[in-house]
Amino acid sequence: MAPDHTESADNGTREICVAIDTGSVDPRSLEMAVLLAERLKRGLRGLFVSPSSLHLVAQLPFTTEVVKTTGEERELLAEVLELKHRQKCAHIQRLLEEQASHRRIRFRVDTVGEEDAPIALLLADRQDVLLPPTRRRFAVIAGSAADNLRRVKWVYDESEASQRTLRLLRQLVAAGQIKTLYLIATCGVPRQVLAELSAAGVRVCWVHVRDDRELLARIRSGPEADLTLVPGTLVARIGETRLAAVNRETVSPVLIIA
Amino acid sequence: MPPNPQNGSTLQPLPVERLYRRCDPDGFDFDTTAQVEPLDDHFGQERAVEALRLGLDIRHRGYNMFLLGSTGLGKHELLQDYLHARAKQRSTPSDWCYVNNFEASHKPVVLELPAGRGRQFRDDMTRCVEDLIDNITATFQSDEYQARVQEMGEEYSEREQKTFRELDEKARERGVALIQTPQGYSLAPLKDDKILSPAEFENLPDEEKERIEKDIEELKEELKTLIRQMPALVKEGRDKLKALNREFSHLAIDQLFQDLRQRYEDLPRVCEHIDAVRADVIENADAFRPQQEDPRQQGGGGKPSVEQFPQYQVNLLVDNGQLEGAPVIYEDNPTFMNLVGRSEHVAMYGTLTTNFTLLKPGALHQANGGYLVLYAIKVLTNPFAWETLKRTLRAREAQIQSLDQMFSFASTVQLEPQAIPLNLKVVLTGDRQIYYMLEQFDPEFSELFKIAADMSEDVDWDGDSAASYPRLIRTLQDREQLRPLDRSGVARVVEHSARQVQDNRKLSLHMGRLTNLLCESDHWAEIRNADTIAEQDVTKAIDAAIYRLDQFRERSHEAILRDIQLVDTEGVRTAQVNGLAVYQLGQYAFGKPSRITATARLGSGGVIDIEREAKLGGRIHSKGVMILSSFLANRYARDKPFPLSATLAFEQSYGGVEGDSASVAEFAALLSALSGIPVVQSLAVTGSVNQLGQVQAIGGVNEKIEGFFGICQSRGLTGGQGVIIPAANVEHLMLRSEVLAAVQAGDFHVYAIEMIDEGLELLLDTPAGKMDERGQYPADSINGRVAARLDELIRLHRAAHNRAQDDSDDEGDGNGT
């Protein structure tokens, strides 16, 4: 399976945007974002989402926080939240910079408010968006991100975004990643796509679903994957909130292709 | 010319034949030693060989051996022959391995395996770990395992989320949002699905605010309860995951361990260890799975390596796999650690640590099941080695222990490895002095070393030995790859061998010196391009060896020849005798004349040994002087007073005098002083005298004669010069060829005496004189003049005593008048 070069013209400027909620992200999971940027020859843009709603809560007169690990109750102070947010941003930024530098990819960060970075806008700007997992795996999977990009769930529709996703998949397969592909679709899948992927040594499991609800259920459950690829059109159909809910329930990152 | 027999002695000098025992080359029935058979046994060492055989055969406790004999006798060769021959007949002992003790890692377990299987077991365990890494990695990366983990994860995640979802829904029904914070949860009022700002909340009616706050408080309590339940849920999940891991670990490893166990099913203790390893692997299967890779490092893939699992390694302490028969170990440096082994340490995180893989064997481990040969002096002089050896032999087990552990020098991590049962024979080698010291001062020694194998230093020079000696030479010739010796060469070696032991009736068994002589003779034969070693080569080797060490003798004799040290070799002197001393410098000895003088006067102090008074005389020398003093009094003053004060001195002697070999000379000097008869200076004398006037044998007779001869020869032989020796020493004579030539020519003489009077007649050139029936000696004899002088001293003594008495009486009378 030869790599597809049709996108190489704008690869130099396109970026994968990673929306980073410092409150829930596992820094180690960001390694996948760096690996993808390298394999797909993209830049990487970290979008630190400022927890403005949490700040609002902290300003309420009676608000306290119940600590997750101990069940203790303590004050929730806006200044403390802000400080911790800044510390975590700095830590994640340093980590990403190190990894980006190691893999020789462009990297930049921005801080945005919760309401300033809707996925739709980014997609409209032809930016691919990576949603890191907020749930941690039940058992720690050892090895590097490269070792752990073997099983991919791909939501296929007949959109242009799906065609672009196919091209990205080709690049990943050519880079030696992806051994198993769970192809989830409400529509039919062109025979040549299946044949091409199979010929490249990828084990393709085609899962036909009736509607988007079943499609989301398949993303959430079924075989555990290392990455879920969805077309931007799906976001347009189901809305960002539902996608975010799915993201919260899976252990793999979701890459939304514009 | 010898002293005039008309005046003094009628004793004849020894004929030249008695000064050297020749070995007749024509007595050999071969042309060169290439034609004789090498010796297949140890010549002259029958006693030691029998003792060794007994020691090796007896299997009871304490039958270790001590091989006695001076350095160079061939102890090592003897042991090599007998121990190796015996070792080959014995079965090869077991291999010994240390393995981890999974119950207490500081107490490593020892395993005994048949020879050769220790190495196999070690390699099998290494391969097993390699296979474990592959199998476990593959098993835990399998789709089946991943699916089971995901299924389990979803179950627990769902249970957790459901719990919070229910609370969230309940809260929302009451207009409250459950919000995730960085470290927990918070609750905030909602309105139209949006969190109220502080201002909006303030604008609410008071009742509403109170209700919200009350609801939040109630929900908060529920939240706390939920959160406190979470650890139990997490633990339950973790336990289930562990169980799952165990299940898959079994799948990954059971077959491996089953195969391994089958290979060692005849060794129950090894199987026990394999079971312990299996149990530990199952508990720690996670360690075999690839670790999170550092993305900044290239390659590796995070896969663990065999080195990361030292706890499953096998420390093959003793490997007898390549051995045929029992081991024979020679430990040249028997330090404490080299004997009992050691536990090495490695630095880790700034501290020293150790484990069972760092245990190293000692000589006792390596010799287990065989023989251990140690130099006694080295065992005794290495700190703690002797005590440790005895303790180990008593306990019959080898325990690796460090000195710092024994004495708490340092508080590093220490091991207490299981002891290894010992079954070995220890052979100590050393000289007799060490053996007898141990016998005397260490009561445990005789219990642990019951067999003494005493090697002979020499052998009788008779027909048998004369026939065997060429065969011995042939053995050494083969061993050292030397040219054969012709008959003249062999004869010269035999003669030199007798000279080596200072006895013309014995031959030396000192293999070291004999080997050196043969090697050096071979060198001289090579220089003259000869195919065989002849007499001239042996003589050249002997002379060269003497020359190499002869500088001190030359300097010493030079001092005499330049009259710095006073020794007369002509004329006569009263109370002055040439004594003879021998200097032993390692293996080289030489003789030197030394002037002995005496004084005698009225007094009551007896004979005073100036050397002793100056603390330059040894105890044996003092004893000799006391004996001659007693002999003197007994001969001349048995029934009368002995009013004599005499002194004896070794002139120009500053380094101390030991031995009684000068007592004949001292007696002669004393009698010359008493009688006034001068002593012939062309003679030197050696010999000790007993209380009965018998002259007794001394040591170093050859060197002493050669020493005086050397001085006389340098000054020019007069024909009257010679040496007087005890008759008992005649059979020790093996003099150098130049002395023999001078004697043959009548230029030098050697006299052998049995009684002191024979020596006195030669030295004082006067008849000694025999006591007649009246108890009187002839007036002109030595004894007569000594007796007369003593009578005079008695008279003088009485006169002096009477004068003193008279003076005393006069003083008494004066007082009365």
Side-chain angles (χ1 to χ4, degrees):
Chain A
M1 187 167 171
D4 194 311
H5 298 289
T6 52
E7 288 221 338
S8 57
D10 59 354
N11 272 355
T13 54
R14 290 187 70 160
E15 291 173 322
I16 294 176
C17 294
V18 192
I20 303 167
D21 178 356
T22 57
S24 58
V25 73
D26 174 5
R28 285 174 53 180
S29 69
L30 296 172
E31 196 190 338
M32 181 68 82
V34 183
L35 178 77
L36 284 171
E38 185 204 28
R39 294 284 190 263
L40 301 176
K41 299 182 174 59
R42 305 287 176 85
L44 188 65
R45 182 184 176 199
L47 290 175
F48 288 111
V49 181
S50 178
S52 44
S53 58
L54 199 56
H55 282 211
L56 201 63
V57 173
Q59 286 164 15
L60 289 166
F62 50 83
T63 310
T64 58
E65 178 185 35
V66 179
V67 180
K68 200 190 292 180
T69 50
T70 60
E72 282 177 287
E73 186 180 349
R74 66 184 182 194
E75 278 190 288
L76 184 67
L77 299 172
E79 312 86 76
V80 175
L81 280 176
E82 180 58 31
L83 179 68
K84 285 193 174 157
H85 173 69
R86 278 206 307 273
Q87 286 173 340
K88 201 148 189 184
C89 284
H91 173 64
I92 292 170
Q93 184 175 345
R94 196 165 54 245
L95 211 71
L96 281 171
E97 272 171 358
E98 275 181 21
Q99 294 183 7
S101 155
H102 175 67
R103 294 194 186 272
R104 297 170 186 279
I105 59 169
R106 283 178 292 109
F107 172 69
R108 62 181 177 126
V109 291
D110 287 309
T111 302
V112 293
E114 283 171 333
E115 61 289 342
D116 297 337
I119 295 169
L121 282 179
L122 292 167
L123 294 173
D125 199 25
R126 287 179 63 82
Q127 300 293 320
D128 301 331
V129 179
L130 185 80
L131 304 177
T134 54
R135 217 186 96 198
R136 297 193 181 187
R137 284 178 190 268
F138 183 61
V140 173
I141 303 295
S144 67
D147 293 329
N148 295 325
L149 183 48
R150 295 282 182 269
R151 289 167 297 193
V152 173
K153 284 183 183 175
W154 176 24
V155 176
Y156 177 80
D157 59 16
E158 291 164 325
S159 66
E160 190 191 337
S162 283
Q163 293 307 312
R164 287 195 58 242
T165 311
L166 178 60
R167 289 195 283 272
L168 296 186
L169 273 170
R170 284 177 182 143
Q171 286 177 275
L172 290 173
V173 170
Q177 310 287 176
I178 306 182
K179 301 294 176 200
T180 308
L181 183 72
Y182 303 103
L183 206 160
I184 309 166
T186 52
C187 58
V189 179
R191 186 183 299 273
Q192 68 270 26
V193 171
L194 297 174
E196 181 188 344
L197 290 168
S198 295
V202 179
R203 182 173 154 236
V204 183
C205 307
W206 178 20
V207 183
H208 182 74
V209 290
R210 282 169 297 183
D211 52 28
D212 287 343
R213 194 182 60 79
E214 195 179 339
L215 188 144
L216 294 179
R218 283 287 176 175
I219 295 174
R220 273 199 303 266
S221 59
E224 199 167 85
D226 303 316
L227 176 68
T228 302
L229 293 168
V230 299
T233 46
L234 179 70
V235 183
R237 286 206 307 273
I238 64 172
E240 289 183 28
T241 311
R242 284 179 74 190
L243 185 65
V246 169
N247 179 228
R248 276 198 297 274
E249 291 177 27
T250 59
V251 291
S252 64
V254 176
L255 181 61
I256 309 162
I257 308 296
Chain B
M1 288 287 289
N4 185 354
Q6 299 303 317
N7 296 332
S9 174
T10 57
L11 190 70
Q12 292 302 308
L14 292 171
V16 72
E17 296 76 29
R18 300 203 54 195
L19 305 184
Y20 191 85
R21 181 174 173 185
R22 292 207 177 276
C23 176
D24 183 8
D26 295 335
F28 295 128
D29 59 355
F30 57 85
D31 292 325
T32 72
T33 48
Q35 295 163 350
V36 299
E37 286 296 312
L39 277 176
D40 51 7
D41 209 341
H42 286 267
F43 174 50
Q45 302 297 354
E46 295 77 14
R47 187 195 312 271
V49 165
E50 195 178 319
L52 270 184
R53 282 190 181 134
L54 178 70
L56 294 175
D57 285 342
I58 289 186
R59 296 192 177 275
H60 298 289
R61 289 180 81 149
Y63 279 89
N64 298 296
M65 289 156 277
F66 194 113
L67 184 61
L68 304 76
S70 57
T71 306
L73 265 184
K75 296 192 287 293
H76 187 83
E77 289 78 8
L78 180 67
L79 285 175
Q80 209 162 21
D81 286 355
Y82 278 88
L83 293 185
H84 283 275
R86 189 57 59 96
K88 276 186 186 168
Q89 295 165 4
R90 292 184 59 182
S91 57
T92 307
S94 304
D95 290 344
W96 293 93
C97 304
Y98 271 114
V99 292
N100 189 31
N101 181 345
F102 293 98
E103 301 291 324
S105 60
H106 68 290
K107 292 181 174 175
V109 173
V110 74
L111 294 179
E112 181 181 9
L113 294 101
R117 291 184 70 188
R119 178 180 290 265
Q120 184 194 336
F121 182 49
R122 183 192 65 185
D123 296 345
D124 280 348
M125 283 306 296
T126 304
R127 267 193 297 275
C128 176
V129 174
E130 286 169 356
D131 293 345
L132 283 171
I133 292 168
D134 291 342
N135 283 13
I136 291 175
T137 303
T139 301
F140 283 91
Q141 282 180 348
S142 67
D143 287 347
E144 188 188 352
Y145 175 75
Q146 298 290 346
R148 293 277 296 275
V149 169
Q150 188 185 357
E151 190 183 314
M152 198 179 284
E154 280 174 3
E155 179 194 335
Y156 281 92
S157 175
E158 180 54 31
R159 281 170 67 181
E160 183 183 340
Q161 285 182 10
K162 190 181 166 200
T163 308
F164 284 101
R165 206 160 44 231
E166 283 171 0
L167 183 67
D168 186 38
E169 283 165 10
K170 189 175 177 184
R172 279 178 186 276
E173 283 169 12
R174 294 161 81 169
V176 176
L178 179 63
I179 299 162
Q180 200 160 355
T181 65
Q183 270 140 8
Y185 295 94
S186 188
L187 293 157
L190 270 179
K191 191 171 185 184
D192 300 332
D193 240 15
K194 286 183 80 177
I195 293 166
L196 289 181
S197 68
E200 286 169 333
F201 182 76
E202 280 305 314
N203 290 334
L204 289 174
D206 287 346
E207 306 84 60
E208 183 67 5
K209 283 197 277 189
E210 275 176 29
R211 184 195 63 79
I212 289 172
E213 284 185 33
K214 188 173 169 241
D215 285 347
I216 284 178
E217 280 305 313
E218 284 173 10
L219 288 166
K220 206 184 283 173
E221 289 309 310
E222 280 186 50
L223 177 63
K224 286 179 188 174
T225 307
L226 279 182
I227 284 176
R228 282 169 189 154
Q229 285 169 354
M230 283 302 115
L233 192 67
V234 170
K235 184 177 181 304
E236 187 188 327
R238 206 185 298 134
D239 290 345
K240 280 208 170 181
L241 182 65
K242 274 189 182 173
L244 180 73
N245 286 348
R246 267 199 292 274
E247 182 189 331
F248 275 80
S249 298
H250 277 293
L251 287 175
I253 70 173
D254 278 359
Q255 190 58 44
L256 277 176
F257 280 102
Q258 198 177 326
D259 293 347
L260 192 61
R261 214 174 184 285
Q262 268 176 2
R263 248 171 282 164
Y264 297 93
E265 62 188 356
D266 56 324
L267 301 168
R269 293 208 58 224
V270 175
C271 287
E272 278 174 28
H273 177 68
I274 293 170
D275 292 344
V277 172
R278 179 177 166 277
D280 194 73
V281 168
I282 287 170
E283 281 305 306
N284 299 287
D286 267 359
F288 288 88
R289 295 160 64 182
Q291 304 302 304
Q292 186 73 32
E293 188 193 21
D294 184 343
R296 289 162 294 184
Q297 289 177 358
Q298 296 292 328
K303 189 178 171 185
S305 63
V306 176
E307 290 72 30
Q308 285 173 258
F309 301 96
Q311 68 271 37
Y312 306 129
Q313 283 179 20
V314 172
N315 179 357
L316 180 56
L317 195 78
V318 180
D319 181 7
N320 287 324
Q322 306 296 317
L323 200 66
E324 287 178 13
V328 181
I329 303 295
Y330 297 84
E331 179 52 70
D332 288 343
N333 185 22
T335 60
F336 173 84
M337 286 198 297
N338 287 354
L339 280 178
V340 299
R342 63 191 186 282
S343 161
E344 293 183 342
H345 286 73
V346 289
M348 187 178 285
Y349 307 124
T351 185
L352 290 175
T353 183
T354 185
N355 61 51
F356 73 96
T357 64
L358 297 171
L359 290 171
K360 304 292 173 193
L364 286 162
H365 298 104
Q366 286 166 334
N368 198 7
Y371 308 100
L372 174 60
V373 182
L374 302 167
Y375 294 111
I377 187 71
K378 292 187 177 174
V379 178
L380 291 168
T381 51
N382 266 301
F384 310 109
W386 176 237
E387 286 304 319
T388 303
L389 178 65
K390 286 193 297 180
R391 192 176 60 243
T392 306
L393 290 177
R394 271 200 313 271
R396 300 180 86 179
E397 59 179 31
Q399 173 86 56
I400 296 178
Q401 202 177 19
S402 63
L403 280 176
D404 49 353
Q405 195 174 2
M406 281 172 68
F407 298 101
S408 301
F409 289 155
S411 58
T412 52
V413 177
Q414 299 291 355
L415 297 177
E416 296 170 33
Q418 199 177 353
I420 294 179
L422 281 184
N423 174 25
L424 82 167
K425 292 265 183 195
V426 175
V427 183
L428 287 178
T429 67
D431 60 32
R432 286 181 181 73
Q433 192 185 359
I434 293 174
Y435 176 79
Y436 292 119
M437 274 176 61
L438 286 169
E439 272 279 338
Q440 187 173 359
F441 295 112
D442 190 340
E444 289 173 309
F445 173 69
S446 55
E447 287 176 24
L448 294 171
F449 292 87
K450 291 181 179 172
I451 298 289
D454 192 357
M455 291 191 74
S456 301
E457 304 280 330
D458 50 43
V459 64
D460 286 345
W461 183 356
D462 54 21
D464 288 344
S465 61
S468 296
Y469 221 75
R471 294 180 62 195
L472 173 64
I473 291 171
R474 169 66 197 269
T475 306
L476 299 177
Q477 168 195 318
D478 290 351
R479 191 183 292 163
E480 302 294 328
Q481 299 292 301
L482 305 172
R483 288 170 178 74
L485 280 80
D486 67 15
R487 287 190 284 183
S488 70
V490 173
R492 184 71 183 93
V493 170
V494 170
E495 290 166 4
H496 184 68
S497 175
R499 167 67 190 243
Q500 288 275 300
V501 289
Q502 298 274 336
D503 195 330
N504 59 33
R505 293 189 185 183
K506 299 279 182 187
L507 294 176
S508 169
L509 289 176
H510 200 288
M511 296 301 118
R513 286 184 207 154
L514 183 54
T515 304
N516 292 346
L517 176 63
L518 293 178
C519 290
E520 289 161 27
S521 302
D522 183 72
H523 169 73
W524 292 113
E526 184 181 9
I527 285 178
R528 66 180 184 89
N529 290 321
D531 294 331
T532 55
I533 299 169
E535 180 189 5
Q536 57 179 306
D537 303 314
V538 181
T539 302
K540 180 85 175 161
I542 294 167
D543 292 345
I546 291 171
Y547 178 73
R548 288 197 295 273
L549 294 167
D550 205 31
Q551 184 166 204
F552 189 74
R553 185 200 63 81
E554 281 180 10
R555 295 286 171 271
S556 175
H557 282 199
E558 186 184 318
I560 294 172
L561 296 173
R562 291 169 62 192
D563 290 332
I564 296 166
Q565 185 168 0
L566 301 176
V567 173
D568 289 336
T569 51
E570 287 182 76
V572 292
R573 293 280 187 282
T574 302
Q576 175 183 307
V577 178
N578 289 325
L580 292 166
V582 67
Y583 292 80
Q584 189 75 42
L585 305 172
Q587 290 181 12
Y588 176 68
F590 70 90
K592 195 185 88 166
S594 182
R595 176 176 288 179
I596 296 169
T597 59
T599 63
R601 58 184 176 82
L602 179 64
S604 56
V607 180
I608 295 169
D609 176 10
I610 289 179
E611 303 303 320
R612 186 188 177 188
E613 297 299 312
K615 294 191 169 50
L616 287 170
R619 288 185 292 180
I620 298 170
H621 179 257
S622 298
K623 180 188 173 189
V625 173
M626 287 178 208
I627 286 171
L628 75 87
S629 176
S630 162
F631 172 57
L632 187 69
N634 186 52
R635 171 176 273 199
Y636 301 110
R638 196 179 296 173
D639 50 5
K640 52 190 173 190
F642 191 54
L644 176 72
S645 275
T647 56
L648 285 169
F650 272 70
E651 302 295 350
Q652 294 180 290
S653 164
Y654 309 107
V657 176
E658 182 54 308
D660 62 355
S661 70
S663 57
V664 169
E666 289 165 331
F667 193 72
L670 203 53
L671 291 200
S672 172
L674 276 168
S675 65
I677 303 172
V679 180
V680 173
Q681 298 299 302
S682 57
L683 292 176
V685 63
T686 180
S688 77
V689 64
N690 65 17
Q691 294 194 104
L692 303 175
Q694 292 168 311
V695 178
Q696 303 166 142
I698 45 77
V701 66
N702 291 297
E703 286 80 5
K704 286 175 175 174
I705 294 171
E706 288 160 1
F708 189 66
F709 172 80
I711 298 294
C712 295
Q713 189 185 40
S714 299
R715 286 176 173 170
L717 293 170
T718 61
Q721 290 152 330
V723 175
I724 301 166
I725 62 166
N729 280 118
V730 172
E731 62 189 44
H732 300 145
L733 293 175
M734 286 299 286
L735 290 166
R736 283 191 209 162
S737 57
E738 58 265 36
V739 182
L740 301 180
V743 170
Q744 184 72 45
D747 294 335
F748 196 75
H749 314 281
V750 178
Y751 300 93
I753 58 170
E754 290 180 0
M755 299 299 293
I756 186 72
D757 284 346
E758 294 172 281
L760 293 174
E761 286 179 348
L762 282 166
L763 288 166
L764 275 61
D765 198 17
T766 305
K770 288 193 186 313
M771 188 183 278
D772 60 19
E773 58 279 6
R774 291 176 295 133
Q776 300 294 315
Y777 291 106
D780 290 337
S781 68
I782 300 168
N783 290 328
R785 290 178 68 167
V786 171
R789 174 64 177 155
L790 280 173
D791 287 342
E792 188 185 347
L793 289 175
I794 291 168
R795 188 179 55 74
L796 289 170
H797 176 71
R798 282 185 182 147
H801 180 75
N802 291 339
R803 266 201 308 276
Q805 189 68 46
D806 292 345
D807 291 346
S808 173
D809 291 345
D810 288 346
E811 281 176 21
D813 294 342
N815 286 339
T817 54

